[in-house]
CSV table of all heavy atoms in Angstrom, one decimal:
chain,number,residue,atom,x,y,z
Z,14,GLN,N,-6.5,0.0,20.8
Z,14,GLN,CA,-7.3,-0.5,19.6
Z,14,GLN,C,-7.2,0.6,18.5
Z,14,GLN,O,-6.9,0.3,17.3
Z,14,GLN,CB,-8.7,-0.7,20.0
Z,14,GLN,CG,-9.0,-1.8,20.9
Z,14,GLN,CD,-8.7,-3.2,20.4
Z,14,GLN,OE1,-9.0,-3.4,19.2
Z,14,GLN,NE2,-8.0,-4.0,21.1
Z,15,LEU,N,-7.3,1.8,18.9
Z,15,LEU,CA,-7.3,2.9,17.9
Z,15,LEU,C,-5.9,3.0,17.3
Z,15,LEU,O,-5.7,3.2,16.0
Z,15,LEU,CB,-7.6,4.2,18.5
Z,15,LEU,CG,-9.1,4.4,18.9
Z,15,LEU,CD1,-9.4,5.7,19.6
Z,15,LEU,CD2,-10.1,4.3,17.7
Z,16,ALA,N,-4.8,2.9,18.2
Z,16,ALA,CA,-3.5,3.0,17.6
Z,16,ALA,C,-3.2,1.8,16.7
Z,16,ALA,O,-2.5,2.1,15.7
Z,16,ALA,CB,-2.5,3.0,18.9
Z,17,ALA,N,-3.6,0.7,17.1
Z,17,ALA,CA,-3.4,-0.5,16.2
Z,17,ALA,C,-4.1,-0.4,14.9
Z,17,ALA,O,-3.5,-0.6,13.7
Z,17,ALA,CB,-3.9,-1.8,16.9
Z,18,ARG,N,-5.3,0.2,14.9
Z,18,ARG,CA,-6.1,0.4,13.7
Z,18,ARG,C,-5.4,1.4,12.7
Z,18,ARG,O,-5.3,1.3,11.5
Z,18,ARG,CB,-7.4,0.9,13.9
Z,18,ARG,CG,-8.3,1.1,12.7
Z,18,ARG,CD,-9.8,1.3,13.0
Z,18,ARG,NE,-10.3,0.3,13.8
Z,18,ARG,CZ,-11.6,0.3,14.2
Z,18,ARG,NH1,-12.4,1.4,14.0
Z,18,ARG,NH2,-12.1,-0.8,14.9
Z,19,ALA,N,-4.9,2.5,13.4
Z,19,ALA,CA,-4.2,3.5,12.6
Z,19,ALA,C,-2.9,3.0,12.0
Z,19,ALA,O,-2.6,3.4,10.8
Z,19,ALA,CB,-3.9,4.8,13.6
Z,20,ARG,N,-2.2,2.2,12.7
Z,20,ARG,CA,-1.0,1.6,12.2
Z,20,ARG,C,-1.3,0.7,11.1
Z,20,ARG,O,-0.6,0.7,10.0
Z,20,ARG,CB,-0.2,0.9,13.4
Z,20,ARG,CG,1.2,0.4,12.9
Z,20,ARG,CD,1.9,-0.1,14.0
Z,20,ARG,NE,1.3,-1.2,14.8
Z,20,ARG,CZ,0.5,-1.0,16.0
Z,20,ARG,NH1,0.6,0.1,16.5
Z,20,ARG,NH2,-0.1,-2.0,16.5
Z,21,ARG,N,-2.3,-0.1,11.2
Z,21,ARG,CA,-2.7,-1.1,10.0
Z,21,ARG,C,-3.1,-0.2,8.8
Z,21,ARG,O,-2.8,-0.6,7.7
Z,21,ARG,CB,-3.9,-1.9,10.6
Z,21,ARG,CG,-4.3,-3.0,9.5
Z,21,ARG,CD,-5.2,-3.9,10.0
Z,21,ARG,NE,-6.5,-3.3,10.4
Z,21,ARG,CZ,-7.0,-3.1,11.7
Z,21,ARG,NH1,-6.2,-3.4,12.7
Z,21,ARG,NH2,-8.2,-2.5,11.9
Z,22,MET,N,-3.8,0.9,9.0
Z,22,MET,CA,-4.2,1.7,7.8
Z,22,MET,C,-3.0,2.3,7.1
Z,22,MET,O,-3.0,2.4,5.9
Z,22,MET,CB,-5.3,2.8,8.3
Z,22,MET,CG,-6.5,2.2,8.8
Z,22,MET,SD,-7.4,1.2,7.5
Z,22,MET,CE,-7.7,2.4,6.2
Z,23,ARG,N,-2.0,2.6,8.0
Z,23,ARG,CA,-0.8,3.3,7.4
Z,23,ARG,C,0.0,2.2,6.6
Z,23,ARG,O,0.5,2.5,5.5
Z,23,ARG,CB,0.1,3.8,8.6
Z,23,ARG,CG,1.3,4.5,8.0
Z,23,ARG,CD,2.1,5.2,9.2
Z,23,ARG,NE,2.6,4.4,10.1
Z,23,ARG,CZ,2.0,4.3,11.4
Z,23,ARG,NH1,1.1,5.1,11.8
Z,23,ARG,NH2,2.6,3.5,12.3
Z,24,VAL,N,0.0,1.0,7.2
Z,24,VAL,CA,0.7,-0.1,6.4
Z,24,VAL,C,-0.1,-0.4,5.1
Z,24,VAL,O,0.5,-0.6,4.1
Z,24,VAL,CB,0.7,-1.4,7.3
Z,24,VAL,CG1,1.2,-2.6,6.5
Z,24,VAL,CG2,1.7,-1.1,8.4
Z,25,ILE,N,-1.4,-0.4,5.1
Z,25,ILE,CA,-2.2,-0.7,3.9
Z,25,ILE,C,-2.0,0.4,3.0
Z,25,ILE,O,-1.8,0.1,1.7
Z,25,ILE,CB,-3.8,-0.7,4.3
Z,25,ILE,CG1,-4.0,-2.0,5.1
Z,25,ILE,CG2,-4.6,-0.7,3.1
Z,25,ILE,CD1,-5.4,-2.1,5.6
Z,26,ALA,N,-1.8,1.7,3.4
Z,26,ALA,CA,-1.7,2.7,2.4
Z,26,ALA,C,-0.3,2.6,1.7
Z,26,ALA,O,-0.1,2.8,0.5
Z,26,ALA,CB,-1.7,4.1,3.1
Z,27,ILE,N,0.7,2.3,2.5
Z,27,ILE,CA,2.1,2.1,2.0
Z,27,ILE,C,2.1,0.9,1.0
Z,27,ILE,O,2.7,0.9,0.0
Z,27,ILE,CB,3.1,1.8,3.1
Z,27,ILE,CG1,3.2,3.1,4.0
Z,27,ILE,CG2,4.5,1.4,2.6
Z,27,ILE,CD1,4.0,2.9,5.2
Z,28,THR,N,1.4,-0.2,1.4
Z,28,THR,CA,1.4,-1.3,0.5
Z,28,THR,C,0.6,-1.1,-0.8
Z,28,THR,O,1.1,-1.5,-1.9
Z,28,THR,CB,0.6,-2.5,1.2
Z,28,THR,OG1,1.3,-2.8,2.4
Z,28,THR,CG2,0.7,-3.8,0.4
Z,29,ASP,N,-0.5,-0.3,-0.7
Z,29,ASP,CA,-1.3,0.1,-1.8
Z,29,ASP,C,-0.4,0.9,-2.8
Z,29,ASP,O,-0.4,0.6,-4.0
Z,29,ASP,CB,-2.5,0.9,-1.5
Z,29,ASP,CG,-3.6,0.0,-0.9
Z,29,ASP,OD1,-3.6,-1.2,-1.0
Z,29,ASP,OD2,-4.5,0.6,-0.4
Z,30,ALA,N,0.4,1.8,-2.3
Z,30,ALA,CA,1.4,2.5,-3.2
Z,30,ALA,C,2.4,1.7,-3.8
Z,30,ALA,O,2.6,1.8,-5.1
Z,30,ALA,CB,2.1,3.6,-2.3
Z,31,ASP,N,2.9,0.6,-3.1
Z,31,ASP,CA,3.8,-0.3,-3.7
Z,31,ASP,C,3.2,-1.1,-4.8
Z,31,ASP,O,3.7,-1.3,-5.9
Z,31,ASP,CB,4.3,-1.2,-2.6
Z,31,ASP,CG,5.3,-2.3,-3.2
Z,31,ASP,OD1,6.4,-1.9,-3.7
Z,31,ASP,OD2,4.9,-3.4,-3.2
Z,32,TYR,N,1.9,-1.6,-4.6
Z,32,TYR,CA,1.2,-2.3,-5.6
Z,32,TYR,C,0.9,-1.5,-6.9
Z,32,TYR,O,1.1,-1.9,-8.0
Z,32,TYR,CB,-0.1,-2.8,-5.1
Z,32,TYR,CG,0.0,-3.9,-4.0
Z,32,TYR,CD1,-1.1,-4.1,-3.2
Z,32,TYR,CD2,1.1,-4.6,-3.8
Z,32,TYR,CE1,-1.0,-5.1,-2.2
Z,32,TYR,CE2,1.2,-5.6,-2.9
Z,32,TYR,CZ,0.1,-5.8,-2.1
Z,32,TYR,OH,0.2,-6.8,-1.0
Z,33,LEU,N,0.6,-0.2,-6.6
Z,33,LEU,CA,0.3,0.7,-7.8
Z,33,LEU,C,1.6,1.0,-8.5
Z,33,LEU,O,1.5,1.0,-9.8
Z,33,LEU,CB,-0.3,2.0,-7.3
Z,33,LEU,CG,-0.6,3.1,-8.3
Z,33,LEU,CD1,-1.7,2.4,-9.3
Z,33,LEU,CD2,-1.2,4.2,-7.7
Z,34,ALA,N,2.7,1.1,-7.9
Z,34,ALA,CA,3.9,1.3,-8.5
Z,34,ALA,C,4.4,0.1,-9.4
Z,34,ALA,O,4.8,0.3,-10.6
Z,34,ALA,CB,5.0,1.6,-7.5
Z,35,ARG,N,4.1,-1.1,-8.9
Z,35,ARG,CA,4.4,-2.3,-9.7
Z,35,ARG,C,3.6,-2.3,-10.9
Z,35,ARG,O,4.1,-2.6,-12.1
Z,35,ARG,CB,4.2,-3.5,-8.8
Z,35,ARG,CG,5.1,-3.7,-7.7
Z,35,ARG,CD,4.7,-4.9,-6.9
Z,35,ARG,NE,5.4,-5.1,-5.6
Z,35,ARG,CZ,6.6,-5.8,-5.5
Z,35,ARG,NH1,7.2,-6.4,-6.6
Z,35,ARG,NH2,7.2,-5.9,-4.4
Z,36,VAL,N,2.4,-2.1,-10.8
Z,36,VAL,CA,1.5,-2.1,-12.0
Z,36,VAL,C,1.8,-1.1,-13.0
Z,36,VAL,O,1.9,-1.3,-14.2
Z,36,VAL,CB,0.0,-2.1,-11.6
Z,36,VAL,CG1,-0.9,-1.9,-12.8
Z,36,VAL,CG2,-0.5,-3.2,-10.7
Z,37,HIS,N,2.1,0.1,-12.4
Z,37,HIS,CA,2.4,1.3,-13.4
Z,37,HIS,C,3.8,1.0,-14.1
Z,37,HIS,O,3.8,1.2,-15.3
Z,37,HIS,CB,2.5,2.5,-12.6
Z,37,HIS,CG,2.7,3.8,-13.4
Z,37,HIS,ND1,3.9,4.3,-13.5
Z,37,HIS,CD2,1.9,4.6,-14.2
Z,37,HIS,CE1,4.0,5.4,-14.4
Z,37,HIS,NE2,2.7,5.5,-14.7
Z,38,ALA,N,4.8,0.5,-13.4
Z,38,ALA,CA,6.0,0.2,-14.0
Z,38,ALA,C,5.9,-0.9,-15.1
Z,38,ALA,O,6.5,-0.8,-16.1
Z,38,ALA,CB,7.1,-0.2,-13.0
Z,39,THR,N,5.1,-1.9,-14.8
Z,39,THR,CA,5.0,-3.0,-15.8
Z,39,THR,C,4.2,-2.4,-17.0
Z,39,THR,O,4.6,-2.9,-18.1
Z,39,THR,CB,4.2,-4.2,-15.1
Z,39,THR,OG1,4.9,-4.5,-13.9
Z,39,THR,CG2,4.2,-5.4,-16.1
Z,40,ALA,N,3.2,-1.6,-16.8
Z,40,ALA,CA,2.4,-1.0,-17.9
Z,40,ALA,C,3.3,-0.2,-18.9
Z,40,ALA,O,3.3,-0.3,-20.1
Z,40,ALA,CB,1.3,-0.3,-17.4
Z,41,GLU,N,4.1,0.6,-18.2
Z,41,GLU,CA,5.1,1.4,-18.9
Z,41,GLU,C,6.1,0.5,-19.8
Z,41,GLU,O,6.3,0.7,-21.0
Z,41,GLU,CB,5.8,2.3,-18.1
Z,41,GLU,CG,5.1,3.5,-17.6
Z,41,GLU,CD,6.0,4.6,-17.0
Z,41,GLU,OE1,7.0,4.2,-16.4
Z,41,GLU,OE2,5.6,5.7,-16.9
Z,42,LEU,N,6.6,-0.6,-19.1
Z,42,LEU,CA,7.5,-1.4,-19.8
Z,42,LEU,C,6.8,-2.1,-21.0
Z,42,LEU,O,7.4,-2.3,-22.1
Z,42,LEU,CB,8.1,-2.5,-18.8
Z,42,LEU,CG,9.1,-3.5,-19.4
Z,42,LEU,CD1,10.3,-2.8,-19.9
Z,42,LEU,CD2,9.4,-4.5,-18.4
Z,43,ALA,N,5.5,-2.5,-20.8
Z,43,ALA,CA,4.7,-3.2,-21.8
Z,43,ALA,C,4.7,-2.3,-23.0
Z,43,ALA,O,4.6,-2.8,-24.3
Z,43,ALA,CB,3.4,-3.6,-21.4
């Protein structure tokens, strides 16, 4: 259970970074 939760949190962190990069790149382009 702990390993699955840690892996899920790692995926969320990676995904959050991707989302932030998308928003930042679009804002710069705008």
Side-chain angles (χ1 to χ4, degrees):
Q14 295 293 320
L15 293 175
R18 180 175 299 178
R20 186 172 57 256
R21 184 171 65 253
M22 294 303 296
R23 184 169 65 249
V24 170
I25 290 174
I27 294 171
T28 303
D29 285 347
D31 176 66
Y32 291 161
L33 181 60
R35 291 177 187 272
V36 173
H37 184 263
T39 304
E41 284 192 334
L42 181 63

